Amino acid sequence: MNIRTLLFLLLLGLIALFAAVNWSLFVAPTALSLIVMTVHAPLGLVMLAIVALLGLAALVVAGHLKTAMLIENHRHAKEMHGLRHIADEAESSRLTALRQFLETELDRQAHFGKTLETTLLLRLGEVEQSLRTTVEQTGNTLAAYLGEIDDRLEKSRLGTPD
């Protein structure tokens, strides 16, 4: 129990105790004026009934406020759930878009890599062919020089001057 409930029960107990101790005075008839007429009734019981009605009205108001608060909390919870759902969907769509972008970029990079590889292989083939041609020409030139030197050596052994 919270402190408000304990205070309410204590107040209710004090009123009941006060009424029990003074019961003979509570039930003693008195002339009561109702502005347009006069009635004979026990003043204590009338006042006790008014206090009971005020207490009941306070309980009804408190119950109404508590119910309104619970309904408002429930509405807020539903709204928050809806907003959370919308945020989750937005995040999911952003992740899907990011995944698609990354896949597209990776495909583009893979295609670029394959194109570059093909281009490099073709260029490397051309360089290799050019190098072979150069090596072959150098070999032929070297062979011609060696042949010429060999001919000169032969002639110089035979004794014939150039």
Side-chain angles (χ1 to χ4, degrees):
M1 271 196 234
N2 61 20
I3 194 154
R4 280 182 267 155
T5 306
L6 288 175
L7 286 175
F8 179 74
L9 290 176
L10 179 65
L11 184 63
L12 187 64
L14 287 175
I15 291 172
L17 180 65
F18 180 75
V21 170
N22 296 303
W23 187 252
S24 60
L25 293 174
F26 269 78
V27 292
T30 307
L32 300 174
S33 171
L34 300 177
I35 300 177
V36 288
M37 64 183 201
T38 302
V39 193
H40 289 284
L43 177 64
L45 286 180
V46 170
M47 295 304 285
L48 194 58
I50 290 173
V51 168
L53 285 176
L54 287 175
L56 184 62
L59 286 176
V60 168
V61 167
H64 173 70
L65 290 176
K66 183 78 168 184
T67 303
M69 184 183 70
L70 288 174
I71 290 171
E72 188 70 17
N73 283 344
H74 182 70
R75 187 182 66 78
H76 281 244
K78 280 177 103 177
E79 187 176 329
M80 289 297 290
H81 178 73
L83 291 174
R84 187 177 300 120
H85 181 70
I86 289 170
D88 287 344
E89 284 180 355
E91 184 177 353
S92 174
S93 69
R94 282 192 306 266
L95 288 175
T96 302
L98 179 62
R99 182 178 296 119
Q100 289 173 350
F101 173 75
L102 287 175
E103 286 174 357
T104 303
E105 279 299 308
L106 288 174
D107 288 344
R108 190 175 69 79
Q109 289 295 325
H111 177 69
F112 177 73
K114 286 179 183 178
T115 304
L116 186 62
E117 180 184 7
T118 304
T119 305
L120 285 174
L121 287 175
L122 287 173
R123 182 72 178 138
L124 193 58
E126 290 172 3
V127 169
E128 182 182 13
Q129 184 61 37
S130 174
L131 185 61
R132 282 186 185 184
T133 304
T134 304
V135 167
E136 187 179 321
Q137 288 174 356
T138 304
N140 289 341
T141 304
L142 188 59
Y145 285 144
L146 285 176
E148 187 179 324
I149 290 174
D150 196 29
D151 283 345
R152 284 186 187 174
L153 280 176
E154 284 269 330
K155 284 184 187 179
S156 74
R157 271 193 222 159
L158 293 174
T160 54
D162 270 345

